[in-house]
Amino acid sequence: MKIALINSFYFPDVIGGAEVIVREQAHTLSSMGYDVFVVCLGKMKTVIKETVSGITVFRIPFSNRYWPEDWPSHGSLDNMLWHLKDRYNRKIARYLEEIITVEQPQLAICHNLAGLSVSVWDVLSMSGVKILQYIHDQYLICLRSVCCDGVKYCEKPCLKCSLLKANARRMSSMVNGVVAVSDYVAGRLALLGYFHEVPVRVIHNARNLPLSGPRARTKGELTIGYIGALTRVKGVHILVQAFVKSGIDARLLIAGRCNDKDYGLSLRSMGNEKTEFLGFMDSRDFYSRIDCLVVPSLWPDTFPTVAIESCAAGVPVVASNIGGLPEIVKEGINGLRFEPGDISALAKILKQLYGDRELLASLSANCGESVAEMTDQPLMYNKLTDFINDIC
């Protein structure tokens, strides 16, 4: 069977976790005997066909006002015009139609479509290609894909998102199957009327990670950690404020880049002498230095890999009770949860772990087993290929 993998970006353009998943998927499906090629955006003026580590890749010229990830450097008018065109990008549709006509795949697995637009579905459907849509984020619902205004979770789409995403909702019934990476995002889309009468399966992303044994120390200084982008929707400021408020004699290590200078300065001003900003660093090295990880998200991240990585390393997780996090972080088993943005509740949990090292050790002991399914890639691909066979 010939399969097209379609995503906004592909290696070496790696923006987030979706690009890692798509690259792994391309190589794994190819090794299983499928004839795989990739379609993505590129920064050239014509379609480029190339081979990347044995995988055929078609790069389509991005056909909007700017490269999708450059939106923070543009004003509100530019951004609005970008989203208006991204409702249904006709240039992208023409490029894709040419590729599909030549390559003739039986199935297209679509991932993130920002910059490509749902015109992709139209081309595939009219060409008789079965469509399997992967849902990694909330692009189909929200202009920023995060369903958060930077301070709190948007329980319902705002008027702007509702209007500009109405086309995606209407066209979503064109696909033949949906893989949602979490129960949360599957339920969210169903509640908002997407993919009516389309079969949906939840298949958790699985990473090829070794499972470590328990590593929490019962004595000595407690080290709390955060790793990831330093942005407001990630709630890093909530963690820093809660750490200071807790008053515990512990260390807080924060790893990751901050592209917002003002936000970075405010984080440093909130911290105390026990707060260290490490910049970007290798995650394996980072987990070896901490006793617990905090994921203080304000936005409903669909299935944050960082929580899986931490548990696989034997490090318990304290997480916001939002999005896909509750599917990874089990209260009292491999971590503890608090309501998003609640500084006092998080401070209380940090004090609890500081004073009860036996609890920390118990959580650590359960970590590896709790994410065994999420580190079992053969199981994930068995579920995926079963769904492919059902669709095709």
Side-chain angles (χ1 to χ4, degrees):
M1 181 187 297
K2 195 168 193 177
I3 298 177
L5 294 181
I6 302 177
N7 189 58
S8 304
F9 310 107
Y10 190 74
F11 184 85
D13 297 322
V14 178
I15 309 301
E19 285 69 57
V20 175
I21 295 297
V22 173
R23 192 181 188 205
E24 287 179 351
Q25 201 170 88
H27 286 277
T28 302
L29 290 175
S30 180
S31 72
M32 295 171 73
Y34 293 96
D35 185 359
V36 175
F37 68 94
V38 172
V39 179
C40 63
L41 294 172
K43 292 184 176 181
M44 69 295 294
K45 295 186 182 298
T46 60
V47 175
I48 297 295
K49 180 181 179 181
E50 60 183 351
T51 301
V52 181
S53 300
I55 301 295
T56 298
V57 179
F58 293 90
R59 299 191 192 271
I60 293 177
F62 77 92
S63 303
N64 210 322
R65 300 180 72 83
Y66 51 79
W67 185 248
E69 285 303 298
D70 289 345
W71 67 267
S73 63
H74 291 262
S76 57
L77 177 59
D78 249 4
N79 289 333
M80 180 57 64
L81 292 172
W82 191 95
H83 285 294
L84 280 168
K85 188 166 186 178
D86 197 54
R87 291 176 71 248
Y88 190 101
N89 194 314
R90 297 183 186 279
K91 278 191 177 180
I92 293 292
R94 288 196 292 271
Y95 287 129
L96 181 63
E97 186 176 8
E98 293 172 4
I99 295 168
I100 296 301
T101 300
V102 173
E103 295 298 318
Q104 294 288 303
Q106 287 76 51
L107 173 72
I109 303 178
C110 299
H111 290 265
N112 288 349
L113 297 179
L116 292 166
S117 87
V118 295
S119 66
V120 165
W121 294 341
D122 215 7
V123 172
L124 295 169
S125 180
M126 289 190 295
S127 302
V129 181
K130 298 288 186 181
I131 306 168
L132 178 58
Q133 178 64 52
Y134 250 82
I135 305 296
H136 295 280
D137 62 18
Q138 300 189 65
Y139 161 77
L140 297 175
I141 300 170
C142 173
L143 298 182
R144 295 177 60 199
S145 302
V146 296
C147 292
C148 179
D149 64 4
V151 178
K152 62 180 181 179
Y153 168 48
C154 302
E155 293 193 19
K156 294 192 298 185
C158 66
L159 179 61
K160 189 188 300 182
C161 288
S162 295
L163 292 173
L164 289 173
K165 293 300 183 180
N167 196 44
R169 184 174 63 251
R170 177 182 59 80
M171 293 180 62
S172 66
S173 60
M174 299 174 72
V175 311
N176 302 101
V178 174
V179 171
V181 299
S182 64
D183 288 310
Y184 161 74
V185 76
R188 173 84 165 156
L189 287 161
L191 183 65
L192 295 175
Y194 284 76
F195 303 111
H196 181 60
E197 296 186 349
V198 175
V200 178
R201 292 193 190 173
V202 174
I203 303 178
H204 290 146
N205 286 334
R207 303 304 311 280
N208 186 23
L209 300 168
L211 297 179
S212 303
R215 62 162 310 280
R217 297 186 293 271
T218 56
K219 295 181 180 179
E221 187 177 52
L222 179 71
T223 303
I224 299 157
Y226 170 89
I227 186 168
L230 274 55
T231 62
R232 184 165 291 278
V233 295
K234 295 281 190 177
V236 190
H237 57 291
I238 302 297
L239 169 57
V240 176
Q241 291 176 81
F243 175 71
V244 173
K245 184 180 179 68
S246 71
I248 57 177
D249 185 19
R251 287 196 306 158
L252 173 60
L253 304 184
I254 297 176
R257 295 191 179 100
C258 183
N259 293 324
D260 184 333
K261 183 178 179 181
D262 290 340
Y263 185 64
L265 290 172
S266 70
L267 288 177
R268 291 177 182 275
S269 68
M270 292 174 189
N272 58 21
E273 68 281 359
K274 292 282 190 173
T275 308
E276 299 177 43
F277 292 86
L278 307 177
F280 179 83
M281 68 179 297
D282 180 77
S283 59
R284 289 168 296 182
D285 180 34
F286 183 74
Y287 294 127
S288 70
R289 298 174 63 178
I290 65 174
D291 298 300
C292 72
L293 180 80
V294 180
V295 186
S297 296
L298 295 173
W299 75 293
D301 199 342
T302 51
F303 202 65
T305 304
V306 66
I308 301 170
E309 291 177 343
S310 184
C311 287
V315 178
V317 181
V318 177
S320 297
N321 190 33
I322 195 171
L325 279 166
E327 295 170 51
I328 306 168
V329 182
K330 304 299 183 183
E331 179 72 22
I333 297 175
N334 61 359
L336 301 169
R337 300 200 301 261
F338 64 99
E339 290 307 303
D342 192 332
I343 295 170
S344 296
L346 177 54
K348 184 177 180 180
I349 289 173
L350 298 181
K351 288 180 72 172
Q352 180 184 8
L353 294 176
Y354 178 77
D356 190 348
R357 298 302 179 86
E358 295 302 324
L359 170 61
L360 192 62
S362 173
L363 297 174
S364 178
N366 297 328
C367 276
E369 181 61 29
S370 71
V371 295
E373 177 236 353
M374 301 165 199
T375 60
D376 189 340
Q377 285 195 326
L379 174 63
M380 178 185 71
Y381 279 102
N382 284 341
K383 292 178 180 179
L384 175 58
T385 54
D386 283 348
F387 199 17
I388 288 173
N389 291 334
D390 288 347
I391 290 170
C392 296

